[in-house]
């Protein structure tokens, strides 16, 4: 996986425990640094994100989050996951809007000891506060978290099979509401959240390769007794429970605001072309 520096078009990438940079559109790469050990444990990079300050965040398979300077050097440990057997992953669970960052611990879904946690930073990742902690259960972990600037909401998507649910907060994580009364009421299993000015889109995992949709009411979400999330676009039904899952999404907030997304192949013999989808509405 990689990130691209917008002004210079340099490409940042990783493999194993090392971070690399290319200044010639991927013809050659130079190693920047290797992830520091933490408590004697080698770290394998699982996430790389650039934020608007020009700094880089790097997450690992041991649940550690590092932050660099604007030259992508001098990595500092800024957060460690509380739940054991957790990672900070590229696939989902990270949101950046100006100075506000959100990150979810992607915890082993069969960890029956530790809560499932989400963290919030108001200072570009220098300090973090835990805003979501759900009791452990079998087959249960967090998929995605996203800030929704159009209604000042935070959305969280959780799974897996027995525990699909969408949570939302209108007070920056002080309190949380559920979309469905119980896990078995959810129509799908969601892995990504994409806020747009007139709606919020949710990318599914099991049951269908699909996008679901919440249309914003004129008076805002607080005017609703129930938040309606309905199918918007079904590509095709899954031929097995895990053909594809919605992978990392990118949302832009300029005019027009745009959501980019795709689906990753997942435990399946089904093959398809690599496709990126985009929508403004």
């Amino acid at each position: 996986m990689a990130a691209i520096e917008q002004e210079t078009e340099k490409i940042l990438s990783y493999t194993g425990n090392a971070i690399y940079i290319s200044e010639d559109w991927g013809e050659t790469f130079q190693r920047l640094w290797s992830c520091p050990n933490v408590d004697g444990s080698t770290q394998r990079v699982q996430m790389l994100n650039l934020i608007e300050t020009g700094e880089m965040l790097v997450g690992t398979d041991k649940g550690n989050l590092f932050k660099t300077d604007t030259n992508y050097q001098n990595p500092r440990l800024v957060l460690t996951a509380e739940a054991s057997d957790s990672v900070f992953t590229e696939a989902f669970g990270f949101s950046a809007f100006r100075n506000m960052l959100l990150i979810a611990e992607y915890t082993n879904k069969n960890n029956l000891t530790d809560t499932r946690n989400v963290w919030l930073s108001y200072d570009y990742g220098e300090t973090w506060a835990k805003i979501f902690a759900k009791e452990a259960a079998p087959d249960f972990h967090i998929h995605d978290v996203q800030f929704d600037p159009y209604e000042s909401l935070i959305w969280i998507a959780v799974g897996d099979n027995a525990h699909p649910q969408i949570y939302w907060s209108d007070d920056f994580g002080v309190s949380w509401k559920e979309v469905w009364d119980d896990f078995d009421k959810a129509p799908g299993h969601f892995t990504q959240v994409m806020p747009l000015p007139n709606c919020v889109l949710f990318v599914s995992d099991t049951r269908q390769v699909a996008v679901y949709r919440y249309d914003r009411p004129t008076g805002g979400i607080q005017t609703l007794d129930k938040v309606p999330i309905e199918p918007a676009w079904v590509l095709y039904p899954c031929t097995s429970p895990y053909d594809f899952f919605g992978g990392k999404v990118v949302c832009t907030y300029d005019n027009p605001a745009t959501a980019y997304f795709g689906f990753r192949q997942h435990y399946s013999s089904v093959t398809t072309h690599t496709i990126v989808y985009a929508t403004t509405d």
Side-chain angles (χ1 to χ4, degrees), residues 11-12 16 28 36 45 47 56 69 86 95 107 132 139 158 171 177 187 205 249 260 262 276-277:
I11 298 174
L12 283 300
T28 60
V45 178
M47 182 198 88
M56 179 169 59
D69 58 26
S86 292
S95 173
T107 304
F132 182 89
D139 206 22
V158 304
D171 54 15
K177 300 177 179 66
D205 186 345
V249 301
Y260 301 88
V276 176
Y277 300 95

Side-chain angles (χ1 to χ4, degrees), residues 96-140:
F97 183 77
R98 297 174 181 163
N99 61 299
M100 191 172 76
L101 310 182
L102 291 155
I103 196 165
E105 299 177 14
Y106 188 63
T107 304
N108 184 317
K109 64 183 181 180
N110 294 314
N111 175 335
L112 302 181
T113 305
D114 301 314
T115 57
R116 308 317 194 227
N117 305 315
V118 172
W119 299 83
L120 167 67
S121 172
Y122 286 116
D123 55 11
Y124 294 105
E126 289 294 322
T127 59
W128 297 85
K130 185 167 60 176
I131 60 167
F132 182 89
K134 283 294 177 182
E135 184 178 348
D139 206 22
F140 175 52

Side-chain angles (χ1 to χ4, degrees), residues 171-189:
D171 54 15
F172 296 92
V174 175
S175 61
W176 293 93
K177 300 177 179 66
E178 300 175 344
V179 170
W180 298 283
D181 295 335
D182 204 349
F183 291 115
D184 62 2
K185 303 290 181 61
H189 178 195

